[in-house]
Amino acid sequence: MIAIVNYDTGNIRSVTNALARVGCTDWVYTDDKRLLTTADKVILPGVGEASTAMAKLAERGLDTLIPTLTQPVLGICVGTQLMCQSSEEGNAECMGIFRTKVRKFQPEKQQDGQLSIVNCTLSIEKVPHMGWNQITNLRTPLFNHIDDGAYIYYVHSYYPELCDDTIATSHYINAFSGALGRDNFFGTQFHPEKSGSVGAQILKNFLEL
Amino acid sequence: MLAKRIIPCLDVKDGRTVKGINFEGLRDVGDAIALGSQYAREGADELVYLDISATREGRSTFTHLVTHIAEEIDIPFTVGGGISTLDDAARLLDAGADKVSINSAAIRNPNLIDEIASKYGSQFVVIAIDAKLIEGHWLATTHGGSRPTDKELFAWAHEAQERGAGELLFTSMNHDGTRQGYPCDTFARLAEHLHIPIIASGGAGSIDDIADVLTHGRADAALAASIFHYGEIPIPVLKQALNEKGIAVRR
């Protein structure tokens, strides 16, 4: 059984729909510590603002429970950010599972003479980083059968910095951790549940860990 | 590198795909999903489903359809058409839509943008503007371009951005349906004027038109309907051609 952490951060339908598409319908949406401890796998979804989300985890005592879990755990987007040491969003102290910090993208100023020419296109890198981008330097079985340079879907304004736990690198304004992994903990900054067949394969890989 | 997005748009009436759909057998409620799935498999980066139902019953069927789209489609999708209240947006979010596109309701009540964006985030709100060039001025219109408003395109787009819209979907009603290409200079001016992504819509007749709006027009995405529905430009062919022109696309 998969436990999806319920800490009141909104809609999990896209995650459960994606699980169903890869054949997993045995899931529970819960903040029950016993269920979270005994589930085969745990998914920490996340939508919203990091410091608020962190406070909601703490209210339920889950900020101290999650780092002690021993089964495979997958964070998604803000869920992943909460597994880092801290976030610049609301100056949140986070769980510190991954040894890195979450920073805000600094948008490139749109002024004459500062436009960068990329692929014949006058390109301004806008924030949020939204759309399909590539992952490279893939490590761990989470990325089995995924090609280096595969495209996955991002929507975010804050990013985890590169660190020893980086298991996928993406580049937007600067290089950052597209995914992180440490022991039984994994986290993607991108949305595997919205990333077509590549995302489905990543979810399948997680379920097979 | 962040890829330029290719977005097929499907019009849905009373739960059925209509207009421009020329594929054999695609007439039922389920077919809006089958067609969307096919586009997703072919490499579409996102989908837009527009509800053109005129009745309450049609709207409710559409919400039901959105639930099934969310179950089947594994790429982001936007829904639009008839969204005029925060409740409408909430209902579609609950059904599984990734974004909502609002158009004339935002002209009537600009505050709707603030309401939806502050509750659900800017990434959930696409402001759609159908504008027409009238005596040298681009004016936002309603009712399929037939009714010009007093909202000037650039000012209105900027206002919508400041109110919290996360993306702009701009259709030139002078070009829509002509297949003569997009007004690239106007798109480039919008890009200078705004910091949110811009989706170009209306006017694509060829691969070159799409390439132009993504380069000279500086658009982040191109949306089209008939060229995809009639199979004139299959998505894999389009992406291959854009790639050969040095435009970053997901393949």
Side-chain angles (χ1 to χ4, degrees), chain A residues 13 21 119 126 132 194 196, chain B residues 3 45 71 74 94 98 220 246:
Chain A
R13 192 189 282 267
R21 286 193 296 268
N119 275 7
K126 299 166 181 177
W132 296 85
K194 285 287 161 188
Chain B
D45 297 303
E71 285 167 1
D74 59 7
D94 286 342
D98 296 291
D220 299 277

Side-chain angles (χ1 to χ4, degrees), chain B residues 4 13 23-24 33 42 46 49 67 80 82 84 102 109 112 127 131 139 141 149 162 172 181 189 200 202 212 221 243:
Chain B
K4 298 284 186 179
K13 187 174 187 189
F23 291 161
E24 287 290 317
I33 296 168
E42 289 178 352
E46 290 184 31
Y49 283 92
T67 308
S84 53
I102 51 176
N109 171 24
L112 181 63
I127 178 73
L139 297 178
T141 65
T149 67
E162 297 309 304
S172 159
R189 264 185 71 197
D212 277 349
N243 182 60

Side-chain angles (χ1 to χ4, degrees), chain B residues 151-174:
Chain B
K151 291 206 183 291
E152 192 270 332
L153 167 66
F154 298 95
W156 173 226
H158 190 264
E159 180 184 340
Q161 167 187 284
E162 297 309 304
R163 286 178 178 274
E167 258 180 304
L168 167 66
L169 168 58
F170 166 48
T171 307
S172 159
M173 300 312 286
N174 302 73

Side-chain angles (χ1 to χ4, degrees), chain A residues 11 13 17 21 110 118-122 124 126 129-134 151 153 155 172 194-197, chain B residues 1-3 5 45 67 70-71 73-74 76 93-95 98 167 191-192 195-196 214 218 220 246 248 250:
Chain A
N11 200 308
R13 192 189 282 267
N17 280 338
R21 286 193 296 268
Q110 185 165 354
V118 180
N119 275 7
C120 328
T121 311
L122 282 170
I124 295 292
K126 299 166 181 177
H129 173 216
M130 195 209 50
W132 296 85
N133 206 332
Q134 291 171 287
Y151 278 93
Y153 190 76
V155 187
Y172 188 72
K194 285 287 161 188
S195 294
S197 56
Chain B
M1 180 180 306
L2 187 64
R5 290 170 282 150
D45 297 303
T67 308
E71 285 167 1
I73 303 287
D74 59 7
L93 175 81
D94 286 342
D98 296 291
E167 258 180 304
E192 260 167 47
H195 58 71
I196 56 177
L214 295 176
R218 293 172 54 189
D220 299 277
R250 175 178 75 111

